[in-house]
Amino acid sequence: MTQQPRDTPQFYLTAPTDCPYLPGQMERKVFTHLVGPRAGELNDILTQGGFRRSQSIAYRPACENCRACISVRVPVADFVMTRSFRRVMKANADLTGEMRAAVPTSEQYSIFRAYLDWRHRSGGMADMTVLDYALMVEDSHVTTRLVEYRRRDADTAVTGRSKGELVACVLTDVLADGLSLVYSFFEPELADRSLGTLVILDHIARARAMGLPYVYLGYWVEGSRKMDYKARFLPQERLHPEGWVRHDEPARG
């Protein structure tokens, strides 16, 4: 009887559940555990193959009759800053971002909780407690960082604070070939600032400064309103059966 090497990943298939993106569809996922000394290397390989990470699990859709979920990444060297993107940057010029260790705080959870109650009240994450949030941040065997976005505090002497109010946060994996956005959230009262767009623009700039060629945006589903925004970041590469294919034009509705 032959034994499988300890560092060889084993893959599993979930039971069918309702698809969160396409009404009337069912989804299944294939997943494996990201643990051990080679977790980072495995995460790199799987992300390049269309997987996403959630805590110590890497997963990707494995639906029987649907291939709508498409992995998307932005080649940062060729990214085009449009007039619309410049308006978002200008509207948020009073904010500053800082990449730091993946350590959860009550300040982050306060915004995370408000974000879930606003956007995902009936979703699978709706009941996440502060301990669940801490696990989401800390349960990682790969190189993970938090990027916090705060208001610029112009007068520390008056406010008594060394840093301004936290308004947005994103959990990000640092891969060998890019940055992969795991989960982002922001203060709901500032929704008109397009903070989700700002986060991606900032990560494109960070990846370029770090000498990393890509920013991985996760899955894009054509026709899903939740995913429409990802198609705006051009050019982009989408993972098809034949490999990563470059797209320079917006998706057609």
Side-chain angles (χ1 to χ4, degrees):
M1 179 177 177
T2 59
Q3 289 187 338
Q4 200 168 17
R6 292 178 59 187
D7 57 354
T8 300
Q10 299 184 44
F11 292 87
Y12 308 89
L13 192 64
T14 66
T17 58
D18 291 335
C19 176
Y21 304 116
L22 298 177
Q25 296 285 345
M26 303 294 289
E27 72 165 359
R28 300 187 78 178
K29 295 186 178 76
V30 60
F31 70 94
T32 190
H33 296 278
L34 292 171
V35 295
R38 297 187 61 189
E41 177 185 351
L42 179 60
N43 191 42
D44 285 350
I45 294 171
L46 292 179
T47 301
Q48 293 164 7
F51 279 71
R52 297 288 291 159
R53 185 182 71 81
S54 177
Q55 295 179 228
S56 60
I57 297 292
Y59 67 91
R60 67 168 297 171
C63 307
E64 295 180 4
N65 301 312
C66 180
R67 296 293 183 269
C69 290
I70 298 175
S71 293
V72 173
R73 67 186 185 185
V74 179
V76 301
D78 299 330
F79 172 69
V80 177
M81 181 70 78
T82 65
R83 186 177 302 175
S84 174
F85 288 150
R86 289 193 177 91
R87 285 198 295 268
V88 172
M89 296 293 290
K90 183 177 180 180
N92 292 286
D94 60 331
L95 304 182
T96 182
E98 178 187 3
M99 181 176 281
R100 55 190 297 275
V103 177
T105 66
S106 57
E107 186 181 25
Q108 295 163 13
Y109 179 72
S110 178
I111 295 179
F112 177 74
R113 183 70 263 166
Y115 179 82
L116 290 183
D117 291 342
W118 169 61
R119 180 163 285 187
H120 301 292
R121 187 172 300 174
S122 59
M125 301 173 69
D127 296 328
M128 287 183 67
T129 66
V130 65
L131 294 179
D132 295 326
Y133 173 73
L135 278 175
M136 184 180 82
V137 173
E138 294 179 326
D139 187 10
S140 172
H141 295 260
V142 305
T143 303
T144 305
R145 296 289 182 266
L146 277 169
V147 183
E148 292 186 337
Y149 298 88
R150 297 178 177 275
R151 296 185 187 273
R152 298 181 186 275
D153 204 339
D155 194 347
T156 301
V158 172
T159 64
R161 297 183 302 184
S162 59
K163 53 187 179 181
E165 173 193 6
L166 181 68
V167 300
C169 196
V170 57
L171 188 64
T172 300
D173 285 348
V174 182
L175 309 176
D177 70 342
L179 299 177
S180 177
L181 283 74
V182 177
Y183 195 80
S184 61
F185 52 94
F186 54 84
E187 175 58 60
E189 293 181 359
L190 302 179
D192 59 347
R193 280 178 172 254
S194 300
L195 293 177
T197 297
L198 174 71
V199 163
I200 295 175
L201 294 174
D202 178 67
H203 274 65
I204 291 171
R206 288 180 184 277
R208 185 181 293 119
M210 296 168 70
L212 299 173
Y214 298 108
V215 170
Y216 288 83
L217 301 183
Y219 298 120
W220 168 72
V221 178
E222 188 170 8
S224 170
R225 294 183 62 186
K226 293 181 180 179
M227 298 291 195
D228 281 349
Y229 71 96
K230 294 184 182 182
R232 299 170 53 219
F233 296 87
L234 296 170
Q236 65 180 227
E237 295 179 6
R238 300 173 192 160
L239 186 58
H240 296 284
E242 65 271 26
W244 289 97
V245 177
R246 178 170 169 134
H247 292 258
D248 291 277
E249 298 294 333
R252 295 180 181 272

